[in-house]
Amino acid sequence: MQPNNLVIWSNDDFRPDQSSQQQLLVDGVGPHRLLQFERHDPRSIDALAAADIAYGAPDPNAVVTSNRLRWIHLNSAGYTPFDTQQIKQAFQAQNKILTTSSAVYSEPCAQHLLAMMLTLARQIPAALDSQRRDCAWPMKELRAASRLLDGQTVVLLGYGAIARRLIELLRPFNLSVIAVRTRIEGDEDVTVVETSKVDSCLAHADHLVNTLPANDETKNFLDGGRLRSLKPGAIVYNIGRGTTLDASALNELLREGHIAAAYLDVTDPEPLPPDHPLWQTPNCFITPHTGGGHSNEKERQIKHFLENLRRFECGEPLLNRVV
Amino acid sequence: MQPNNLVIWSNDDFRPDQSSQQQLLVDGVGPHRLLQFERHDPRSIDALAAADIAYGAPDPNAVVTSNRLRWIHLNSAGYTPFDTQQIKQAFQAQNKILTTSSAVYSEPCAQHLLAMMLTLARQIPAALDSQRRDCAWPMKELRAASRLLDGQTVVLLGYGAIARRLIELLRPFNLSVIAVRTRIEGDEDVTVVETSKVDSCLAHADHLVNTLPANDETKNFLDGGRLRSLKPGAIVYNIGRGTTLDASALNELLREGHIAAAYLDVTDPEPLPPDHPLWQTPNCFITPHTGGGHSNEKERQIKHFLENLRRFECGEPLLNRVV
């Protein structure tokens, strides 16, 4: 059991209409002392040194210079600023724990991906364009272009929480799933291919779903060569990070028709500048990094942190632990 | 066993690029004699009298005046022209069988409905509108407006093949399903309410999914009173028939905001005239009766008929039998 007078540092931002969510955090930390800062308050850096736990999005260098901090819980699914050898080694040497809010975002991201897959298969963007344009009734063309997901092959780049939840959502459909993962661990319940052998499965993909995080190994992972080796007519989805994909090669292959369509929720840079050519490519559909968003996001973030706090107090394994 | 020299009448239309599907039909009927007509060929009416089986969309009155016809298999999911007391009684008196292609269309329609539900929950139409308009990056607004399906209540009007398949697709989501059915049969695997008590569950619906067919009982079933008794903020989906819903009341409630959004795949009339007010109502999304369409529709229609022909030959129960 942990003592009940820990100091919890937070730089989680609350909008004026989120007072009930803020109260949920205040009430939930119970007897511990909560130090609350706005996201970019410069005073928050020094305060980190006096805290046992940090919640939100602390600065990685300030975290590793604090001797007292024992556990850092990020309110994001990604942890790119902490994803370097130097920071991870410092965490291990100092016996610090790093957890993320991956469980908060896997559900909306998986639902967003399935929305993208079905929307495109059912020609809904084309129907809505027609509604905006001339209220015509292109029934025959759109019916002929509509597809079933049945019998298709989905290749998942990355086998994290989003990919695993998407696999559950896809289970009632009659399709094949191949997951690409750094190392085969034996706990996968779909066909799995090691990242080093990814090129062997790209030619089979009707749908290539990219959930890769941003780090040194994933930068430009989907380069022109890999994109060109996709099955002709494949659809590319990116809900990972924009840096993992060569946008200019993607645009060229979309315009050639080799790739039938792309659905991007992440780009490089973000926001994608209004004059970027991908915006105008007819078969490229872009949502502004909304995959993880949900109306009750703040509430779910806090409940996830509080569940991990309960586990931390009881010495139970923490959820979404990275280091 | 049936004799292998039956006469099979067909008025299924084939486009010039569908010769392989037509060949599938010709090869599939094997030793039987196949009389093929174009959909509206007037000679097809007289030919019905000399057939044992009719496949496609025959005229109901010509069917009941034929003494020889024993089995009619429609290539549509709906059977509105046959859905009258007079025709059904004639079928029963003459020992004629009526089957539909409902199994061909339940899969695309269920996938279309889930596409509609997820697309709207994930604010994809708003993102695509933004892409078409100004390539802005309304990330914060759209994330806050995005929703999870978790915890929501889906009321299904109608418990036919589409609704049952949708229930399977919804199973991995954490939501509640209530099905409204003419009579409770005891074989339902969700909460079920008799049609006569539908008003008791409308106030609970976050999503009202209408798959009702067109007939005398369903005409204007969703009238202004029922639509107004929906839970404020509900979303209405119609993939049944346009005549089952009061479009003018729906439009008023959409504009008031009592109904948050509507997703219509069917309207009354069809095509919906370009000057119909529903086209311009901002929270009304219309697809031109594409729910059942799929690129391999003709192939799946023929395979479904051939499976029923095999069953007919062997005296096994036919699929999608109505009478």
Side-chain angles (χ1 to χ4, degrees), chain A residues 21-316:
Chain A
Q21 290 90 333
Q22 190 164 18
Q23 196 60 46
L24 183 67
L25 176 63
V26 170
D27 294 345
V29 300
H32 305 302
R33 188 165 159 232
L34 182 66
L35 306 177
Q36 289 192 83
F37 298 93
E38 295 201 353
R39 178 73 178 267
H40 296 291
D41 183 342
R43 291 168 301 176
S44 68
I45 302 277
D46 288 343
L48 263 181
D52 302 290
I53 297 170
Y55 168 59
D59 176 75
N61 294 312
V63 162
V64 295
T65 56
S66 159
N67 291 323
R68 181 163 167 183
L69 269 178
R70 292 153 61 196
W71 168 39
I72 290 83
H73 182 90
L74 305 179
N75 60 3
S76 56
Y79 55 100
T80 305
F82 293 82
D83 198 6
T84 67
Q85 282 304 319
Q86 189 204 344
I87 297 286
K88 286 204 259 189
Q89 280 169 2
F91 264 68
Q92 278 159 350
Q94 299 169 354
N95 227 7
K96 284 182 165 69
I97 295 168
L98 179 66
T99 56
T100 73
S101 293
S102 144
V104 174
Y105 294 100
S106 53
E107 187 68 38
C109 285
Q111 292 192 18
H112 203 80
L113 277 168
L114 185 57
M116 289 170 148
M117 293 176 70
L118 284 169
T119 294
L120 215 49
R122 303 306 311 159
Q123 300 293 318
I124 288 178
L128 297 183
D129 278 349
S130 166
Q131 178 174 2
R132 299 291 180 249
R133 194 175 48 235
D134 55 9
C135 303
W137 194 262
M139 181 171 77
K140 280 194 179 174
E141 305 87 293
L142 295 188
R143 284 182 74 103
S146 292
R147 289 185 316 280
L148 295 173
L149 295 187
D150 299 56
Q152 306 216 301
T153 296
V154 181
V155 172
L156 301 175
L157 281 187
Y159 190 72
I162 298 171
R164 278 178 282 213
R165 182 60 179 144
L166 180 61
I167 289 168
E168 290 174 0
L169 299 184
L170 289 176
R171 195 139 295 151
F173 294 90
N174 304 308
L175 43 69
S176 306
V177 177
I178 301 170
V180 179
R181 190 179 194 183
T182 314
R183 275 177 305 278
I184 297 177
E185 307 266 358
D187 61 346
E188 306 87 359
D189 51 4
V190 292
T191 305
V192 64
V193 166
E194 279 195 6
T195 307
S196 60
K197 295 176 181 151
V198 64
D199 296 336
S200 68
C201 65
L202 295 176
H204 303 291
D206 296 297
H207 304 268
L208 179 69
V209 176
N210 178 16
T211 58
L212 293 176
N215 59 40
D216 288 348
E217 286 81 54
T218 62
K219 195 167 165 60
N220 213 30
F221 183 85
L222 282 175
D223 58 15
R226 287 199 168 124
L227 289 172
R228 189 168 289 280
S229 72
L230 280 167
K231 178 173 172 176
I235 302 177
V236 173
Y237 307 79
N238 194 5
I239 203 167
R241 285 294 179 263
T243 51
T244 63
L245 179 150
D246 181 338
S248 133
L250 175 69
N251 196 41
E252 195 180 315
L253 290 162
L254 281 169
R255 292 200 169 261
E256 281 177 22
H258 180 77
I259 294 177
Y263 225 141
L264 310 178
D265 189 52
V266 291
T267 56
D268 180 34
E270 288 181 18
L272 192 68
D275 60 354
H276 194 286
L278 276 174
W279 283 117
Q280 304 303 333
T281 299
N283 43 351
C284 183
F285 305 92
I286 300 173
T287 51
H289 202 136
T290 55
H294 47 299
S295 50
N296 53 341
E297 176 177 346
K298 185 65 79 177
E299 180 188 330
R300 292 182 73 241
Q301 279 180 339
I302 292 166
K303 286 184 172 168
H304 181 60
F305 169 63
L306 293 176
E307 168 61 20
N308 254 355
L309 178 59
R310 187 194 67 70
R311 289 167 175 253
F312 186 77
E313 288 170 344
C314 301
E316 293 176 17

Side-chain angles (χ1 to χ4, degrees), chain B residues 21-33:
Chain B
Q21 290 90 333
Q22 190 163 17
Q23 197 59 45
L24 183 67
L25 176 64
V26 171
D27 294 345
V29 299
H32 305 302
R33 188 166 159 229

